[in-house]
Amino acid sequence: MRIAHSADELRRQLKPLRSHQTIAFVPTMGCLHAGHMNLIEKAGELADIVVVSIYVNPLQFGTGEDLDAYPRTFDVDAALCAGAGVNFLFYPATLYPKSGPKITLKATRLSNCLCGASRPGHFDGVITVVNILFNIIQPDFAVFGEKDWQQLTIIRRMVKDLQMPVEIIGSEIIREADGLAMSSRNRYLSNTDHSQALALSQALTAMQQSALAGETSVGVLKHIAQSIFDTASIQTEYLDVRSANSLKARHILDKQPARAFVAARVGNARLIDNMPLELNISPEPATCTEDSQ
Ligand code: AMP
């Protein structure tokens, strides 16, 4: 595995390979866990070369957020990447000019809800850095986790609207055995916080099961989840049900794919999670046109 510390260095390393090998890219902020490793494994199945980046992007953190405290574990991360067969690890000191970026991208409608509403400017920072990374790496594929569903949706839309020649692959949420979605921020949780945080996946699972049992009212589903949060003494930042692709608010479940989303602060960590809500819609009865006897 080769480690590059600057855009120029990585471009030089990748240049001779581009003509005959495909590239899959996994952007991360480091402090790697099994969720990241699953994305890396997917990338390895998709392309000849796997590039992973580790960059804690200041542009996506708001004032008072955990930019300085964000866990940085480069040596362990590099060993994990090498063990997983990563070909290039990109670890730049910065991706912006000294005076700060003067040109940035803006995510419009898709960023007005969920995390975009509670973290103004966050997704503008995310798509700006992803765009810079895509320009440097020029990958054929880029793999993102469904854990950050809104991010994945916005990036898919960026690639479509800006006609970027990269295929975006979404990968399922990896969870601890007890259901907690893996996150670098889980390190902030004490044992007590961890037990309390289980309410997130439990509430989403309860919504999912009620939907499968035939409940179509989003109001009722939210009520079911809310009672789990009340019992765990968790105050949610948001608890929402939206169309999976357009992120439009939903009041009723029907055949259009929907997802439940939650964000909550537990101890020192801000945690997010989401799950699909599927109705158990039985297929239309087949119409019999011929006598089968
Ligand atoms: P981060 O390092 O938190 O910026 O995440 C880098 C990538 O890993 C993003 O595409 C995340 O969605 C993905 N990711 C983080 N946690 C998980 C998880 N538990 N399961 C699947 N993907 C994840």
Side-chain angles (χ1 to χ4, degrees):
M1 183 179 77
R2 298 173 77 179
I3 301 177
H5 294 271
S6 74
D8 283 349
E9 196 183 352
L10 185 62
R11 276 187 209 275
R12 258 198 314 276
Q13 291 172 354
L14 292 178
K15 196 171 178 185
L17 308 171
R18 285 192 194 289
S19 58
H20 57 287
Q21 291 189 294
T22 52
I23 299 175
F25 171 46
V26 181
T28 79
M29 297 205 300
C31 192
L32 303 182
H33 51 67
H36 297 112
M37 301 319 289
N38 193 51
L39 305 184
I40 291 171
E41 197 182 314
K42 284 255 156 67
E45 289 161 11
L46 284 164
D48 304 316
I49 294 171
V50 175
V51 181
V52 172
S53 66
I54 295 182
Y55 182 59
V56 182
N57 172 34
L59 213 58
Q60 70 190 66
F61 286 78
T63 346
E65 291 188 353
D66 58 344
L67 173 61
D68 294 332
Y70 198 85
R72 286 152 170 96
T73 55
F74 179 74
D75 292 341
V76 177
D77 292 349
L80 283 170
C81 286
V86 169
N87 304 96
F88 294 90
L89 181 56
F90 184 38
Y91 184 53
T94 182
L95 288 172
Y96 304 110
K98 271 203 188 98
S99 54
K102 300 240 172 7
I103 309 285
T104 58
L105 286 179
K106 191 158 177 54
T108 53
R109 282 205 297 269
L110 288 171
S111 70
N112 293 340
C113 58
L114 305 172
C115 289
S118 33
R119 303 181 71 189
H122 168 68
F123 288 115
D124 299 343
V126 169
I127 58 173
T128 299
V129 81
V130 169
N131 193 38
I132 292 171
L133 289 163
F134 282 2
N135 285 337
I136 297 167
I137 294 155
Q138 297 172 39
D140 300 281
F141 307 92
V143 192
F144 291 85
E146 293 182 348
K147 158 99 185 333
D148 298 272
W149 184 272
Q150 188 177 17
Q151 169 176 285
L152 174 61
T153 307
I154 290 174
I155 286 167
R156 281 192 199 285
R157 192 60 203 236
M158 169 181 81
V159 162
K160 184 165 180 259
D161 285 6
L162 304 186
Q163 306 215 20
M164 302 168 83
V166 50
E167 190 177 331
I168 303 300
I169 309 292
S171 190
E172 73 272 19
I173 301 177
I174 303 299
R175 299 175 179 280
E176 305 279 358
D178 58 16
L180 181 67
M182 290 198 181
S183 163
S184 307
R185 290 188 168 99
N186 289 353
R187 290 190 169 219
Y188 301 152
L189 301 172
S190 66
N191 288 342
T192 321
D193 295 338
H194 187 118
S195 312
Q196 199 188 10
L198 296 182
L200 272 76
S201 54
Q202 284 165 357
L204 294 175
T205 306
M207 292 173 91
Q208 204 172 44
Q209 283 169 352
S210 301
L212 273 176
E215 182 55 68
T216 58
S217 159
V218 167
V220 172
L221 294 175
K222 281 189 184 174
H223 192 74
I224 291 164
Q226 191 55 54
S227 68
I228 293 174
F229 290 124
D230 291 345
T231 309
S233 301
I234 284 186
Q235 212 183 342
T236 56
E237 189 179 287
Y238 60 73
L239 170 64
D240 216 344
V241 172
R242 295 196 165 248
S243 284
N245 300 322
S246 67
L247 301 185
K248 284 201 180 111
R250 292 285 287 274
H251 304 290
I252 286 288
L253 297 186
D254 53 28
K255 284 182 187 165
Q256 297 300 319
R259 260 182 124 85
F261 298 87
V262 66
R265 191 161 281 283
V266 179
N268 290 326
R270 179 184 178 276
L271 304 177
I272 58 171
D273 201 352
N274 70 86
M275 283 187 197
L277 296 179
E278 279 158 26
L279 284 176
N280 199 356
I281 299 174
S282 43
E284 305 279 322
T287 39
C288 213
T289 49
E290 285 176 24
D291 189 350
S292 53
Q293 300 267 300

mmCIF file of all heavy atoms in Angstrom, residues 26-36 38-39 60 70 143-149 151 171-175 180-185, ligand 1:
data_model
loop_
_atom_site.group_PDB
_atom_site.id
_atom_site.type_symbol
_atom_site.label_atom_id
_atom_site.label_comp_id
_atom_site.label_asym_id
_atom_site.label_seq_id
_atom_site.Cartn_x
_atom_site.Cartn_y
_atom_site.Cartn_z
ATOM 1 N N VAL A 26 -13.031 5.104 -1.580
ATOM 2 C CA VAL A 26 -13.803 5.158 -0.332
ATOM 3 C C VAL A 26 -13.329 6.367 0.482
ATOM 4 O O VAL A 26 -12.249 6.336 1.083
ATOM 5 C CB VAL A 26 -13.609 3.867 0.510
ATOM 6 C CG1 VAL A 26 -14.439 3.939 1.787
ATOM 7 C CG2 VAL A 26 -13.970 2.625 -0.290
ATOM 8 N N PRO A 27 -14.114 7.448 0.512
ATOM 9 C CA PRO A 27 -13.734 8.600 1.337
ATOM 10 C C PRO A 27 -14.123 8.375 2.802
ATOM 11 O O PRO A 27 -15.239 7.919 3.075
ATOM 12 C CB PRO A 27 -14.541 9.765 0.752
ATOM 13 C CG PRO A 27 -15.582 9.164 -0.132
ATOM 14 C CD PRO A 27 -15.339 7.693 -0.250
ATOM 15 N N THR A 28 -13.212 8.701 3.723
ATOM 16 C CA THR A 28 -13.532 8.561 5.153
ATOM 17 C C THR A 28 -12.892 9.722 5.925
ATOM 18 O O THR A 28 -12.049 10.443 5.399
ATOM 19 C CB THR A 28 -12.951 7.252 5.773
ATOM 20 O OG1 THR A 28 -11.553 7.450 6.052
ATOM 21 C CG2 THR A 28 -13.113 6.061 4.861
ATOM 22 N N MET A 29 -13.300 9.823 7.202
ATOM 23 C CA MET A 29 -12.623 10.766 8.101
ATOM 24 C C MET A 29 -11.746 9.998 9.096
ATOM 25 O O MET A 29 -11.348 10.552 10.126
ATOM 26 C CB MET A 29 -13.649 11.632 8.831
ATOM 27 C CG MET A 29 -14.454 12.505 7.867
ATOM 28 S SD MET A 29 -15.136 13.987 8.605
ATOM 29 C CE MET A 29 -16.176 13.304 9.863
ATOM 30 N N GLY A 30 -11.469 8.720 8.783
ATOM 31 C CA GLY A 30 -10.580 7.931 9.642
ATOM 32 C C GLY A 30 -11.278 7.386 10.871
ATOM 33 O O GLY A 30 -12.504 7.372 10.943
ATOM 34 N N CYS A 31 -10.452 6.920 11.835
ATOM 35 C CA CYS A 31 -10.966 6.193 13.008
ATOM 36 C C CYS A 31 -11.838 5.040 12.502
ATOM 37 O O CYS A 31 -13.017 4.926 12.841
ATOM 38 C CB CYS A 31 -11.742 7.125 13.934
ATOM 39 S SG CYS A 31 -12.075 6.333 15.519
ATOM 40 N N LEU A 32 -11.196 4.216 11.676
ATOM 41 C CA LEU A 32 -11.930 3.212 10.899
ATOM 42 C C LEU A 32 -12.510 2.109 11.781
ATOM 43 O O LEU A 32 -11.906 1.695 12.771
ATOM 44 C CB LEU A 32 -10.999 2.605 9.847
ATOM 45 C CG LEU A 32 -10.357 3.611 8.871
ATOM 46 C CD1 LEU A 32 -9.504 2.881 7.839
ATOM 47 C CD2 LEU A 32 -11.406 4.480 8.177
ATOM 48 N N HIS A 33 -13.693 1.658 11.409
ATOM 49 C CA HIS A 33 -14.356 0.555 12.101
ATOM 50 C C HIS A 33 -14.917 -0.408 11.053
ATOM 51 O O HIS A 33 -14.720 -0.189 9.838
ATOM 52 C CB HIS A 33 -15.450 1.090 13.037
ATOM 53 C CG HIS A 33 -16.399 2.043 12.389
ATOM 54 N ND1 HIS A 33 -17.285 1.662 11.405
ATOM 55 C CD2 HIS A 33 -16.592 3.374 12.552
ATOM 56 C CE1 HIS A 33 -17.997 2.705 11.013
ATOM 57 N NE2 HIS A 33 -17.588 3.776 11.683
ATOM 58 N N ALA A 34 -15.665 -1.413 11.511
ATOM 59 C CA ALA A 34 -16.144 -2.446 10.576
ATOM 60 C C ALA A 34 -17.050 -1.869 9.479
ATOM 61 O O ALA A 34 -17.127 -2.435 8.387
ATOM 62 C CB ALA A 34 -16.873 -3.536 11.352
ATOM 63 N N GLY A 35 -17.728 -0.747 9.762
ATOM 64 C CA GLY A 35 -18.560 -0.103 8.735
ATOM 65 C C GLY A 35 -17.697 0.363 7.570
ATOM 66 O O GLY A 35 -17.997 0.108 6.402
ATOM 67 N N HIS A 36 -16.583 1.050 7.897
ATOM 68 C CA HIS A 36 -15.661 1.502 6.843
ATOM 69 C C HIS A 36 -15.050 0.292 6.110
ATOM 70 O O HIS A 36 -14.912 0.310 4.890
ATOM 71 C CB HIS A 36 -14.502 2.310 7.444
ATOM 72 C CG HIS A 36 -14.906 3.582 8.135
ATOM 73 N ND1 HIS A 36 -14.800 3.755 9.501
ATOM 74 C CD2 HIS A 36 -15.397 4.746 7.653
ATOM 75 C CE1 HIS A 36 -15.199 4.975 9.824
ATOM 76 N NE2 HIS A 36 -15.578 5.594 8.730
ATOM 77 N N ASN A 38 -16.219 -2.555 5.583
ATOM 78 C CA ASN A 38 -17.170 -3.157 4.647
ATOM 79 C C ASN A 38 -17.208 -2.383 3.323
ATOM 80 O O ASN A 38 -17.313 -2.977 2.252
ATOM 81 C CB ASN A 38 -18.556 -3.196 5.306
ATOM 82 C CG ASN A 38 -19.522 -4.064 4.543
ATOM 83 O OD1 ASN A 38 -19.218 -5.207 4.223
ATOM 84 N ND2 ASN A 38 -20.671 -3.515 4.218
ATOM 85 N N LEU A 39 -17.107 -1.043 3.409
ATOM 86 C CA LEU A 39 -17.073 -0.232 2.182
ATOM 87 C C LEU A 39 -15.806 -0.566 1.380
ATOM 88 O O LEU A 39 -15.831 -0.657 0.155
ATOM 89 C CB LEU A 39 -17.058 1.270 2.494
ATOM 90 C CG LEU A 39 -18.164 1.873 3.368
ATOM 91 C CD1 LEU A 39 -17.993 3.394 3.449
ATOM 92 C CD2 LEU A 39 -19.536 1.555 2.837
ATOM 93 N N GLN A 60 -17.056 20.823 6.809
ATOM 94 C CA GLN A 60 -18.360 20.235 7.099
ATOM 95 C C GLN A 60 -18.724 20.278 8.586
ATOM 96 O O GLN A 60 -19.740 19.735 9.003
ATOM 97 C CB GLN A 60 -18.444 18.807 6.551
ATOM 98 C CG GLN A 60 -17.582 17.786 7.272
ATOM 99 C CD GLN A 60 -17.553 16.473 6.516
ATOM 100 O OE1 GLN A 60 -17.026 16.379 5.412
ATOM 101 N NE2 GLN A 60 -18.145 15.430 7.105
ATOM 102 N N TYR A 70 -12.495 15.341 17.189
ATOM 103 C CA TYR A 70 -12.786 14.173 16.348
ATOM 104 C C TYR A 70 -11.625 13.182 16.435
ATOM 105 O O TYR A 70 -10.457 13.561 16.275
ATOM 106 C CB TYR A 70 -13.035 14.606 14.893
ATOM 107 C CG TYR A 70 -13.743 13.526 14.115
ATOM 108 C CD1 TYR A 70 -15.121 13.418 14.157
ATOM 109 C CD2 TYR A 70 -13.028 12.581 13.390
ATOM 110 C CE1 TYR A 70 -15.788 12.403 13.471
ATOM 111 C CE2 TYR A 70 -13.679 11.561 12.704
ATOM 112 C CZ TYR A 70 -15.052 11.482 12.747
ATOM 113 O OH TYR A 70 -15.698 10.458 12.085
ATOM 114 N N VAL A 143 -17.732 4.491 -3.050
ATOM 115 C CA VAL A 143 -18.619 3.731 -2.167
ATOM 116 C C VAL A 143 -18.902 4.538 -0.897
ATOM 117 O O VAL A 143 -17.975 5.007 -0.226
ATOM 118 C CB VAL A 143 -17.975 2.367 -1.794
ATOM 119 C CG1 VAL A 143 -19.017 1.460 -1.133
ATOM 120 C CG2 VAL A 143 -17.387 1.683 -3.015
ATOM 121 N N PHE A 144 -20.198 4.695 -0.602
ATOM 122 C CA PHE A 144 -20.647 5.457 0.568
ATOM 123 C C PHE A 144 -21.600 4.595 1.388
ATOM 124 O O PHE A 144 -22.318 3.756 0.841
ATOM 125 C CB PHE A 144 -21.387 6.731 0.133
ATOM 126 C CG PHE A 144 -20.501 7.756 -0.518
ATOM 127 C CD1 PHE A 144 -20.217 7.682 -1.875
ATOM 128 C CD2 PHE A 144 -19.942 8.783 0.231
ATOM 129 C CE1 PHE A 144 -19.394 8.625 -2.486
ATOM 130 C CE2 PHE A 144 -19.119 9.731 -0.362
ATOM 131 C CZ PHE A 144 -18.845 9.652 -1.720
ATOM 132 N N GLY A 145 -21.658 4.847 2.708
ATOM 133 C CA GLY A 145 -22.510 4.050 3.592
ATOM 134 C C GLY A 145 -23.929 4.605 3.664
ATOM 135 O O GLY A 145 -24.141 5.814 3.658
ATOM 136 N N GLU A 146 -24.889 3.683 3.769
ATOM 137 C CA GLU A 146 -26.289 4.094 3.946
ATOM 138 C C GLU A 146 -26.525 4.668 5.336
ATOM 139 O O GLU A 146 -27.568 5.246 5.598
ATOM 140 C CB GLU A 146 -27.211 2.893 3.700
ATOM 141 C CG GLU A 146 -27.188 2.445 2.258
ATOM 142 C CD GLU A 146 -28.132 1.293 1.969
ATOM 143 O OE1 GLU A 146 -28.652 0.689 2.935
ATOM 144 O OE2 GLU A 146 -28.328 0.988 0.782
ATOM 145 N N LYS A 147 -25.552 4.485 6.227
ATOM 146 C CA LYS A 147 -25.652 5.083 7.564
ATOM 147 C C LYS A 147 -25.903 6.588 7.448
ATOM 148 O O LYS A 147 -26.671 7.164 8.206
ATOM 149 C CB LYS A 147 -24.342 4.805 8.307
ATOM 150 C CG LYS A 147 -24.022 5.733 9.438
ATOM 151 C CD LYS A 147 -24.397 5.098 10.737
ATOM 152 C CE LYS A 147 -24.224 6.002 11.930
ATOM 153 N NZ LYS A 147 -23.233 7.041 11.821
ATOM 154 N N ASP A 148 -25.239 7.228 6.449
ATOM 155 C CA ASP A 148 -25.439 8.652 6.182
ATOM 156 C C ASP A 148 -26.328 8.762 4.942
ATOM 157 O O ASP A 148 -25.872 9.167 3.868
ATOM 158 C CB ASP A 148 -24.080 9.334 5.964
ATOM 159 C CG ASP A 148 -23.209 9.233 7.200
ATOM 160 O OD1 ASP A 148 -23.301 10.092 8.063
ATOM 161 O OD2 ASP A 148 -22.440 8.246 7.295
ATOM 162 N N TRP A 149 -27.588 8.347 5.087
ATOM 163 C CA TRP A 149 -28.482 8.217 3.933
ATOM 164 C C TRP A 149 -28.664 9.542 3.202
ATOM 165 O O TRP A 149 -28.660 9.613 1.972
ATOM 166 C CB TRP A 149 -29.841 7.665 4.387
ATOM 167 C CG TRP A 149 -30.758 7.413 3.234
ATOM 168 C CD1 TRP A 149 -31.617 8.300 2.654
ATOM 169 C CD2 TRP A 149 -30.864 6.204 2.471
ATOM 170 N NE1 TRP A 149 -32.263 7.715 1.585
ATOM 171 C CE2 TRP A 149 -31.822 6.426 1.460
ATOM 172 C CE3 TRP A 149 -30.247 4.948 2.564
ATOM 173 C CZ2 TRP A 149 -32.181 5.450 0.546
ATOM 174 C CZ3 TRP A 149 -30.614 3.970 1.636
ATOM 175 C CH2 TRP A 149 -31.566 4.234 0.660
ATOM 176 N N GLN A 151 -26.618 12.061 3.101
ATOM 177 C CA GLN A 151 -25.360 12.349 2.398
ATOM 178 C C GLN A 151 -25.293 11.562 1.084
ATOM 179 O O GLN A 151 -24.961 12.104 0.028
ATOM 180 C CB GLN A 151 -24.197 11.971 3.314
ATOM 181 C CG GLN A 151 -22.844 11.950 2.651
ATOM 182 C CD GLN A 151 -21.729 11.666 3.655
ATOM 183 O OE1 GLN A 151 -21.368 12.527 4.429
ATOM 184 N NE2 GLN A 151 -21.195 10.460 3.643
ATOM 185 N N SER A 171 -23.832 1.314 0.431
ATOM 186 C CA SER A 171 -23.556 0.052 1.129
ATOM 187 C C SER A 171 -24.273 0.030 2.484
ATOM 188 O O SER A 171 -24.355 1.056 3.165
ATOM 189 C CB SER A 171 -22.037 -0.057 1.312
ATOM 190 O OG SER A 171 -21.714 -1.331 1.752
ATOM 191 N N GLU A 172 -24.773 -1.142 2.851
ATOM 192 C CA GLU A 172 -25.656 -1.270 4.015
ATOM 193 C C GLU A 172 -24.997 -0.824 5.335
ATOM 194 O O GLU A 172 -23.775 -0.827 5.455
ATOM 195 C CB GLU A 172 -26.165 -2.713 4.155
ATOM 196 C CG GLU A 172 -25.137 -3.723 4.649
ATOM 197 C CD GLU A 172 -24.316 -4.360 3.531
ATOM 198 O OE1 GLU A 172 -24.254 -3.801 2.408
ATOM 199 O OE2 GLU A 172 -23.699 -5.407 3.800
ATOM 200 N N ILE A 173 -25.838 -0.501 6.308
ATOM 201 C CA ILE A 173 -25.345 -0.048 7.618
ATOM 202 C C ILE A 173 -24.797 -1.253 8.399
ATOM 203 O O ILE A 173 -25.472 -2.274 8.523
ATOM 204 C CB ILE A 173 -26.488 0.598 8.434
ATOM 205 C CG1 ILE A 173 -27.078 1.781 7.671
ATOM 206 C CG2 ILE A 173 -25.982 1.021 9.818
ATOM 207 C CD1 ILE A 173 -28.263 2.444 8.366
ATOM 208 N N ILE A 174 -23.600 -1.112 8.901
ATOM 209 C CA ILE A 174 -23.016 -2.164 9.737
ATOM 210 C C ILE A 174 -23.254 -1.784 11.207
ATOM 211 O O ILE A 174 -23.000 -0.650 11.615
ATOM 212 C CB ILE A 174 -21.504 -2.336 9.455
ATOM 213 C CG1 ILE A 174 -21.281 -2.630 7.961
ATOM 214 C CG2 ILE A 174 -20.905 -3.431 10.323
ATOM 215 C CD1 ILE A 174 -21.924 -3.894 7.427
ATOM 216 N N ARG A 175 -23.740 -2.760 11.982
ATOM 217 C CA ARG A 175 -24.138 -2.509 13.367
ATOM 218 C C ARG A 175 -23.352 -3.376 14.344
ATOM 219 O O ARG A 175 -22.858 -4.442 13.963
ATOM 220 C CB ARG A 175 -25.635 -2.828 13.547
ATOM 221 C CG ARG A 175 -26.514 -1.975 12.680
ATOM 222 C CD ARG A 175 -27.992 -2.348 12.759
ATOM 223 N NE ARG A 175 -28.736 -1.435 11.906
ATOM 224 C CZ ARG A 175 -29.080 -0.199 12.254
ATOM 225 N NH1 ARG A 175 -28.818 0.227 13.475
ATOM 226 N NH2 ARG A 175 -29.705 0.591 11.416
ATOM 227 N N LEU A 180 -26.569 -1.186 17.739
ATOM 228 C CA LEU A 180 -26.077 0.198 17.595
ATOM 229 C C LEU A 180 -25.314 0.344 16.272
ATOM 230 O O LEU A 180 -24.402 -0.442 15.990
ATOM 231 C CB LEU A 180 -25.161 0.553 18.775
ATOM 232 C CG LEU A 180 -24.605 1.983 18.768
ATOM 233 C CD1 LEU A 180 -25.716 3.008 18.974
ATOM 234 C CD2 LEU A 180 -23.530 2.161 19.840
ATOM 235 N N ALA A 181 -25.704 1.325 15.463
ATOM 236 C CA ALA A 181 -25.002 1.555 14.202
ATOM 237 C C ALA A 181 -23.565 1.976 14.507
ATOM 238 O O ALA A 181 -23.333 2.847 15.351
ATOM 239 C CB ALA A 181 -25.712 2.646 13.405
ATOM 240 N N MET A 182 -22.600 1.340 13.838
ATOM 241 C CA MET A 182 -21.193 1.685 14.104
ATOM 242 C C MET A 182 -20.911 3.111 13.655
ATOM 243 O O MET A 182 -21.430 3.568 12.635
ATOM 244 C CB MET A 182 -20.280 0.722 13.377
ATOM 245 C CG MET A 182 -20.327 -0.644 13.985
ATOM 246 S SD MET A 182 -18.917 -1.601 13.484
ATOM 247 C CE MET A 182 -19.287 -3.124 14.327
ATOM 248 N N SER A 183 -20.102 3.810 14.435
ATOM 249 C CA SER A 183 -19.743 5.192 14.123
ATOM 250 C C SER A 183 -18.442 5.515 14.839
ATOM 251 O O SER A 183 -18.195 5.028 15.946
ATOM 252 C CB SER A 183 -20.851 6.125 14.632
ATOM 253 O OG SER A 183 -20.370 7.451 14.697
ATOM 254 N N SER A 184 -17.621 6.355 14.203
ATOM 255 C CA SER A 184 -16.384 6.787 14.868
ATOM 256 C C SER A 184 -16.737 7.529 16.157
ATOM 257 O O SER A 184 -15.956 7.535 17.114
ATOM 258 C CB SER A 184 -15.587 7.708 13.950
ATOM 259 O OG SER A 184 -15.384 7.087 12.698
ATOM 260 N N ARG A 185 -17.895 8.148 16.184
ATOM 261 C CA ARG A 185 -18.299 8.933 17.371
ATOM 262 C C ARG A 185 -18.772 8.035 18.521
ATOM 263 O O ARG A 185 -18.978 8.531 19.629
ATOM 264 C CB ARG A 185 -19.386 9.939 16.997
ATOM 265 C CG ARG A 185 -18.862 11.069 16.124
ATOM 266 C CD ARG A 185 -19.895 12.155 15.913
ATOM 267 N NE ARG A 185 -19.317 13.352 15.327
ATOM 268 C CZ ARG A 185 -19.366 13.678 14.030
ATOM 269 N NH1 ARG A 185 -19.962 12.879 13.172
ATOM 270 N NH2 ARG A 185 -18.812 14.790 13.602
HETATM 271 P P1 AMP B 1 -17.001 8.909 8.106
HETATM 272 O O1 AMP B 1 -15.601 8.445 8.306
HETATM 273 O O2 AMP B 1 -17.849 8.856 9.331
HETATM 274 O O3 AMP B 1 -17.085 10.224 7.367
HETATM 275 O O4 AMP B 1 -17.660 7.854 7.128
HETATM 276 C C1 AMP B 1 -17.058 7.491 5.916
HETATM 277 C C2 AMP B 1 -17.988 6.572 5.167
HETATM 278 O O5 AMP B 1 -18.278 5.439 5.980
HETATM 279 C C3 AMP B 1 -19.363 7.224 4.847
HETATM 280 O O6 AMP B 1 -19.745 6.825 3.542
HETATM 281 C C4 AMP B 1 -20.264 6.635 5.902
HETATM 282 O O7 AMP B 1 -21.613 6.572 5.504
HETATM 283 C C5 AMP B 1 -19.678 5.234 6.032
HETATM 284 N N1 AMP B 1 -20.049 4.627 7.318
HETATM 285 C C6 AMP B 1 -19.837 5.119 8.555
HETATM 286 N N2 AMP B 1 -20.366 4.306 9.481
HETATM 287 C C7 AMP B 1 -20.958 3.287 8.808
HETATM 288 C C8 AMP B 1 -21.678 2.118 9.193
HETATM 289 N N3 AMP B 1 -21.934 1.829 10.470
HETATM 290 N N4 AMP B 1 -22.120 1.278 8.238
HETATM 291 C C9 AMP B 1 -21.882 1.548 6.920
HETATM 292 N N5 AMP B 1 -21.202 2.624 6.481
HETATM 293 C C10 AMP B 1 -20.742 3.483 7.416
#
